[in-house]
Amino acid sequence: MPPYHPVAGHLFESAKLMVSLPADAHGHYLPGRMMRAFPGLDSIFYIDNWPFSPPILVIASSEGASQVAQVRVLPKFPAVRHYTWPLTGGLGLLTIEGSAWKVWRSIFNPGFSADHLTSLIPGIMKDTHVFCDILRDHAQTGDLFSLEKMTTNLTLDVIGRVTLDTEFNAQRTTNELTSRLIHLISWLSYGFENNLWERYHPFRPFVHWYTKRHMNRYLTREFQKWATLSNEANGAERPKSNQSVIDLALHKYQVTQGSVNETITGMDATFKAMAMSQIKEFMFAGHDTTSSSLDYIFHLVSSNPATLQLLRAEHTQVFGADLNRTDSIITEKPHLLNQLPYTLAVIKETLRLFPPASSLRQGEPDFFVTDSAGRQYPTQGCLVWCVHHTIQRNPAYWPRPDDFIPERWLVPKGHPLFPVEGTWRPFELGPRHCIGQQLALIELKLVVVMTARTFDISPAYDEWDLLNPKKGPKTVDGERAYQVVRGGAHPSDGFPCRVSVATGEN
């Protein structure tokens, strides 16, 4: 444990370490900085920052993370439920527990299977085309713009198509549902923010109620449109490429109820409430995971020209030199996305360096986490924090942990760079791993393939800082695109950038 003050606990040490960071830097930087500041600290230790947070048991080891997420599977920390309540009313797969979670996870699993998602690639390609068209518009004007805003709207369009077979068109217009979601996320609270005004803002309950009410009205209208289409089909089987997550979930739900009905009459109040909550949670999770991961892929690739060259070479080898045929080839042969080992390596290395979230668990009276030396750590009354950012940069597992090395995912077992099992956890491991993992990977590969040979995207933080000067530190360990909290971890200042059309490539 770090040096402990009998009255202040670890507040002084935490403050000394965080004061060197930008004011909006993500809290997951703290454990890694503590481990560097106190070299004798093990990868499992306590942080006592009361009254600003509950007692924290930090897990920065894969062995410890496995114990709480794969072996015992501790419940989610209550603050996670508090945070997502305005979105889901406590019905989201992220926070429900026990047998209820098992039942509903099995109901929604079919819509996220790799085979089904592959059948949806032609539709996802349409949204990716819009994304590319908007990039071309920015290339023509040469303006400074937020990449995060673009990738967020792309991700939300994809989620609308995949979950409801509907077009939000958030990339080209202001969509009521997606814009209200982004607004609501800015008002969510874990209940232990350091800023007391932020923690106890008097307007928050009203904003939650008002925004959720309008989001639910929007989804109710979408369900009614979906019901009309389903009933007009009069029992005829819809093409697989038009079957949404909700289509497949409703069918699975009806099977579990022992009454399969091909029309909307099979959607009872229980299923409707769960479906509405899951759609909002899927939108939230996609906003957190896929959009920020795309931002960091573009960032890392633009900073590493050799990586970009290898990406482009792989895409030319698999899809041919004619860029105009790439989309039709993928639509006809979507399995080719599984034949991109270097592209996948770039994605996995990006997710290693910039994971979008960590895992927050609730300690239990009879459960102890055991470290590599056999020491046991009680978890009762603790927030058990599996810090993916720290695990995935822990030098005990990763040679050159802070370097971007996609090749580490291509070397054979036994090579010094070969990843240690259980240390890559951006989607978490164990039974409660992210249900949307396959969708995220498909979307990331598809967007990278459709953009890498066509565009050069460059961060423009120097210009941004001149236009938006602010005091204090601006980087974390030299990284200007450091991670900040906006739901999950996102690039600072929305990742300002410029884009140009690539020339002389392939």
Side-chain angles (χ1 to χ4, degrees):
M1 188 166 68
Y4 188 82
H5 189 279
V7 176
H10 295 122
L11 282 175
F12 293 153
E13 296 298 337
S14 297
K16 284 192 292 186
L17 292 170
M18 294 300 287
V19 74
S20 64
L21 300 178
D24 58 350
H26 198 292
H28 67 201
Y29 288 113
L30 176 61
R33 297 182 95 76
M34 278 194 166
M35 292 175 67
R36 290 198 295 270
F38 307 106
L41 203 60
D42 196 75
S43 294
I44 301 175
F45 57 92
Y46 293 99
I47 296 179
D48 178 10
N49 281 343
W50 186 88
F52 295 101
S53 74
I56 300 172
L57 179 59
V58 170
I59 307 291
S61 76
S62 61
E63 299 87 354
S66 173
Q67 292 172 55
V68 304
Q70 294 167 260
V71 178
R72 177 64 174 252
V73 191
L74 292 178
K76 297 298 178 71
F77 193 70
V80 179
R81 186 180 178 89
H82 177 83
Y83 186 86
T84 59
W85 185 274
L87 278 170
T88 68
L91 298 178
L93 287 173
L94 181 65
T95 56
I96 58 176
E97 303 284 351
S99 59
W101 174 83
K102 292 180 180 178
V103 169
W104 286 105
R105 175 69 181 239
S106 70
I107 286 172
F108 283 94
N109 272 338
F112 290 95
S113 70
D115 286 345
H116 176 65
L117 293 173
T118 299
S119 74
L120 302 182
I121 285 177
I124 300 174
M125 180 68 78
K126 294 179 182 179
D127 297 318
T128 306
H129 271 305
V130 175
F131 180 78
C132 292
D133 289 343
I134 296 174
L135 282 178
R136 285 190 184 90
D137 293 342
H138 284 297
Q140 288 179 353
T141 61
D143 62 333
L144 181 70
F145 66 96
S146 167
L147 184 62
E148 183 189 29
K149 182 178 180 180
M150 278 191 61
T151 56
T152 296
N153 288 333
L154 165 63
T155 299
L156 293 172
D157 276 349
V158 170
I159 292 171
R161 187 179 299 277
V162 169
T163 58
L164 270 176
D165 190 28
T166 192
E167 294 186 1
F168 290 152
N169 200 20
Q171 297 183 85
R172 286 295 193 186
T173 64
T174 299
N175 177 272
E176 180 186 1
L177 181 64
T178 61
S179 60
R180 290 193 184 278
L181 172 79
I182 301 302
H183 178 65
L184 182 59
I185 289 172
S186 69
W187 281 86
L188 298 180
S189 165
Y190 283 107
F192 51 76
E193 287 77 14
N194 292 343
N195 185 316
L196 296 182
W197 174 255
E198 182 182 349
R199 187 190 302 191
Y200 300 114
H201 200 296
F203 295 158
R204 178 175 287 112
F206 172 76
V207 173
H208 286 176
W209 170 81
Y210 182 83
T211 309
K212 181 180 178 180
R213 182 166 173 259
H214 281 271
M215 292 178 70
N216 287 349
R217 282 182 174 179
Y218 184 102
L219 285 173
T220 297
R221 293 194 299 268
E222 286 297 322
F223 282 170
Q224 289 170 347
K225 285 190 279 185
W226 178 68
T228 300
L229 291 174
S230 296
N231 291 335
E232 286 176 352
N234 197 27
E237 186 176 357
R238 299 175 67 190
K240 190 174 182 181
S241 60
N242 289 340
Q243 290 184 342
S244 67
V245 168
I246 299 302
D247 282 313
L248 299 182
L250 176 59
H251 180 77
K252 183 69 178 287
Y253 175 74
Q254 291 170 337
V255 170
T256 65
Q257 299 299 302
S259 177
V260 177
N261 188 329
E262 295 295 340
T263 72
I264 197 62
T265 56
M267 182 187 279
D268 60 22
T270 299
F271 181 83
K272 182 180 178 180
M274 287 298 299
M276 195 172 291
S277 294
Q278 298 326 309
I279 289 172
K280 289 181 288 185
E281 188 169 273
F282 296 151
M283 292 171 64
F284 168 75
H287 160 272
D288 264 357
T289 304
T290 313
S291 64
S292 62
S293 298
L294 277 172
D295 298 333
Y296 281 113
I297 288 171
F298 289 126
H299 174 48
L300 291 170
V301 168
S302 71
S303 305
N304 294 270
T307 298
L308 179 57
Q309 186 176 9
L310 289 171
L311 266 182
R312 287 171 168 170
E314 179 174 77
H315 298 168
T316 297
Q317 179 182 3
V318 174
F319 302 108
D322 187 351
L323 302 186
N324 294 322
R325 294 196 64 243
T326 302
D327 57 348
S328 61
I329 292 172
I330 293 174
T331 300
E332 295 169 7
K333 301 176 181 179
H335 64 276
L336 290 178
L337 290 176
N338 297 323
Q339 298 180 20
L340 302 169
Y342 191 75
T343 302
L344 181 59
V346 168
I347 292 170
K348 295 182 75 170
E349 184 70 348
T350 301
L351 285 164
R352 181 186 73 82
L353 290 171
F354 296 101
S358 293
S359 181
L360 305 180
R361 306 283 176 150
Q362 173 68 57
E364 295 185 333
D366 61 342
F367 183 68
F368 299 76
V369 178
T370 305
D371 68 13
S372 56
R375 291 173 295 223
Q376 293 192 317
Y377 297 79
T379 66
Q380 183 177 7
C382 290
L383 186 170
V384 181
W385 185 13
C386 295
V387 193
H388 296 166
H389 182 273
T390 310
I391 295 172
Q392 295 181 173
R393 291 179 182 242
N394 192 332
Y397 309 126
W398 305 93
R400 299 165 58 189
D402 296 323
D403 292 346
F404 177 64
I405 310 175
E407 288 73 17
R408 73 173 83 238
W409 300 99
L410 302 172
V411 297
K413 191 173 184 178
H415 190 283
L417 286 175
F418 189 82
V420 177
E421 184 178 0
T423 57
W424 188 74
R425 320 180 67 92
F427 298 102
E428 193 49 286
L429 299 174
R432 297 199 65 143
H433 69 275
C434 174
I435 193 172
Q437 177 174 346
Q438 289 300 322
L439 174 60
L441 291 176
I442 286 174
E443 188 176 349
L444 291 172
K445 284 189 280 189
L446 186 58
V447 174
V448 171
V449 167
M450 293 300 295
T451 57
R453 292 185 292 169
T454 306
F455 301 103
D456 289 317
I457 297 175
S458 302
Y461 278 103
D462 289 344
E463 293 179 68
W464 174 266
D465 290 338
L466 288 174
L467 295 170
N468 302 274
K470 60 182 178 181
K471 297 180 180 180
K474 294 184 177 66
T475 65
V476 175
D477 298 327
E479 176 59 76
R480 181 62 180 85
Y482 58 87
Q483 292 181 292
V484 301
V485 178
R486 274 195 295 276
H490 291 256
S492 61
D493 297 309
F495 198 87
C497 71
R498 291 186 184 275
V499 62
S500 60
V501 175
T503 57
E505 296 293 343
N506 296 297

